[in-house]
Amino acid sequence: MSMIERIRNHRDATRRARAIEHALRSANSPAVREELLIIAQRHMG
């Protein structure tokens, strides 16, 4: 894996994490939050 690829992957991961955090913050029901966490785990793993 090249340095550029590594940086690009890291940037994508950061962006995804931030998007998930934002979604979790704006999710007001526990059910929605659960769903988001499941999606988040699928992406991170």
Side-chain angles (χ1 to χ4, degrees):
M1 184 185 284
S2 73
M3 191 66 176
I4 294 167
E5 277 181 292
R6 205 172 296 145
I7 292 168
R8 195 175 294 142
N9 287 346
H10 180 71
R11 207 176 21 211
D12 288 347
T14 306
R15 194 177 301 133
R16 213 172 343 212
R18 206 172 296 137
I20 289 165
E21 264 180 51
H22 180 75
L24 282 171
R25 231 174 273 128
S26 50
N28 38 20
S29 76
V32 175
R33 200 168 285 136
E34 281 292 310
E35 199 68 33
L36 285 166
L37 286 171
I38 292 166
I39 293 167
Q41 281 167 353
R42 200 176 301 144
H43 278 293
M44 300 304 174

